[in-house]
Amino acid sequence: MRGAVLYAPGDIRVEDREDPKIIEPTDAILRLSATCVCGSDLWPYRGIEAVDGRSPMGHEYAGIVQEVGSQVTNIRPGQFVIGSFFASDNTCELCQAGYQSSCINKEPIGAGGAQAESLRVPLADGTLVATPDLPPDDLVPSLLAASDVLGTGWFGAVAAEAGPGRTVAVVGDGAVGLLAVLAASQLGAERIIALSRHAPRQQLAVTFGATDIVAERGDAGVAKIKDLTNGLGAHSVVEAVGTQESMLQAIRSTRPGGHVGYVGVAHGVELPGTELFFSHVHLHGGPAPVRRFLPELIELIWTRRIDPGKVFDLTLPLEQAAEGYQAMDERRAVKTLLRP
Ligand SMILES: [Zn+2]
């Protein structure tokens, strides 16, 4: 099969890779209908995260089950399925509590490289969720979005306790931040402030439900959010970047008693203890337990109540993955969908 491999920073190639096979009796093999490039793939692509030799890339996937292991009972060949970036048993105590991305048996999907024609998914019964039927082609981008970027934005909004009567601010205008806006809107937030300096992204944020746009960042962004909230700060702030600046901006934009949901993968973030102590904010986040939300998200997409696939503003054949990475790196594209 063909698959994307990162050789070194900036050097992504699509090449022949070994076809995935059933290894454990709980595995499934998928033929992928669509995959994509994640903002977190840009960390190793930019050399900010070390590249350890030749790395297969990708952890977002949707496709058709080709084969299942002997112990798989819920999932069967021919179904269209979506899973998340961690395989999980969905039965252990942590999964049952809604934290499948901390499952005691979790396995990273990225190790197998989902930017490819086929993918092995461990713990198939716990990990994969099937759609009611084979989806029409125009729903595939939105279903793919549920695999990570929508589920992650959704968790950010849930962790920030977005809901009726609350003002939600979203720090970060990448695909996760934009879909956190959509999630906050679906969860009934009264007011949604999107932080973005880029006109096309501001427009998408408004499409997804943002009521206010703030172009300032850092301390100026914090001041603007305070201006919009009677000097108090937002009730709920989603952090969807993962840098020191964005994390502090999120904490400082939150009112005492409010909640920060942080879903940007942290790189070099160190929190000042004294400031945190006096801030009175709740912090919750981490790798999103997307599996918790998948059934609900698939239902919302299937019935066309949400259209998260709009975040894909570039669609390329898998063979052109390198251009897909470059476009996102240069911020020419919000998110690249790859068609195997
Ligand atoms: Zn588990």
Side-chain angles (χ1 to χ4, degrees):
M1 70 161 184
R2 304 288 287 167
V5 175
L6 184 66
Y7 275 77
D11 182 4
I12 191 108
R13 305 178 200 173
V14 176
E15 58 184 30
D16 289 327
R17 292 182 44 212
E18 203 177 323
D19 287 329
K21 292 184 190 63
I22 300 280
I23 297 171
E24 300 292 336
T26 46
D27 290 350
I29 304 296
L30 312 186
R31 182 165 52 77
L32 299 184
S33 305
T35 176
C36 51
V37 182
C38 182
S40 68
D41 293 332
L42 296 180
W43 293 106
Y45 180 80
R46 288 170 172 159
I48 296 167
E49 215 169 75
V51 181
D52 189 17
R54 228 181 126 258
S55 308
M57 295 296 287
H59 54 262
E60 296 165 89
Y61 56 97
I64 294 175
V65 180
Q66 294 296 101
E67 191 185 350
V68 296
S70 59
Q71 288 176 22
V72 175
T73 54
N74 299 338
I75 296 296
R76 55 182 190 277
Q79 286 181 317
F80 187 95
V81 293
I82 299 130
S84 181
F85 46 85
F86 277 122
S88 53
D89 58 23
N90 211 29
T91 54
C92 76
E93 198 171 327
L94 297 175
C95 282
Q96 289 296 297
Y99 287 86
Q100 290 90 338
S101 44
S102 275
C103 174
I104 59 169
N105 291 311
K106 74 175 179 192
E107 291 189 45
I109 293 288
Q115 288 159 8
E117 290 178 307
S118 300
L119 180 69
R120 168 183 168 257
V121 178
L123 302 169
D125 274 341
T127 304
L128 298 171
V129 179
T131 52
D133 207 338
L134 289 182
D137 205 49
D138 70 317
L139 280 188
V140 170
S142 285
L143 292 166
L144 172 66
S147 173
D148 177 356
V149 64
L150 172 63
T152 294
W154 199 275
F155 175 58
V158 167
E161 307 243 325
R166 291 176 67 106
T167 294
V168 180
V170 178
V171 178
D173 66 357
V176 169
L178 292 167
L179 290 173
V181 169
L182 179 152
S185 173
Q186 287 290 314
L187 293 165
E190 183 173 308
R191 192 171 187 193
I192 303 168
I193 305 167
L195 287 104
S196 175
R197 296 186 295 177
H198 304 269
R201 293 170 191 241
Q202 293 173 347
Q203 188 49 52
L204 203 46
V206 169
T207 304
F208 286 149
T211 54
D212 300 79
I213 300 288
V214 167
E216 291 83 354
R217 55 201 304 184
D219 291 344
V222 173
K224 197 71 202 279
I225 289 171
K226 293 238 165 114
D227 278 352
L228 293 170
T229 53
N230 300 323
L232 301 177
H235 301 91
S236 302
V237 179
V238 179
E239 191 286 324
V241 184
T243 63
Q244 180 75 6
E245 185 192 22
S246 62
M247 191 67 179
L248 287 180
Q249 188 183 338
I251 291 168
R252 291 169 182 165
S253 301
T254 308
R255 67 176 58 192
H259 295 74
V260 177
Y262 57 99
V263 289
V265 181
H267 284 77
V269 175
E270 290 186 25
L271 301 183
T274 306
E275 181 177 346
L276 199 56
F277 182 81
F278 285 101
S279 73
H280 262 151
V281 301
H282 302 73
L283 298 181
H284 185 33
V290 174
R291 178 64 183 80
R292 186 204 308 179
F293 307 109
L294 272 181
E296 179 186 358
L297 299 180
I298 290 170
E299 166 73 12
L300 287 169
I301 293 163
W302 197 259
T303 53
R304 297 182 185 270
R305 279 175 285 167
I306 59 173
D307 189 6
K310 285 196 182 112
V311 291
F312 295 108
D313 54 351
L314 179 62
T315 296
L316 294 171
L318 173 66
E319 291 297 324
Q320 293 174 33
E323 163 57 16
Y325 274 76
Q326 207 181 339
M328 283 175 63
D329 181 41
E330 293 167 2
R331 288 179 73 87
R332 283 185 280 120
V334 175
K335 194 165 174 74
T336 306
L337 185 145
L338 299 171
R339 289 278 191 179

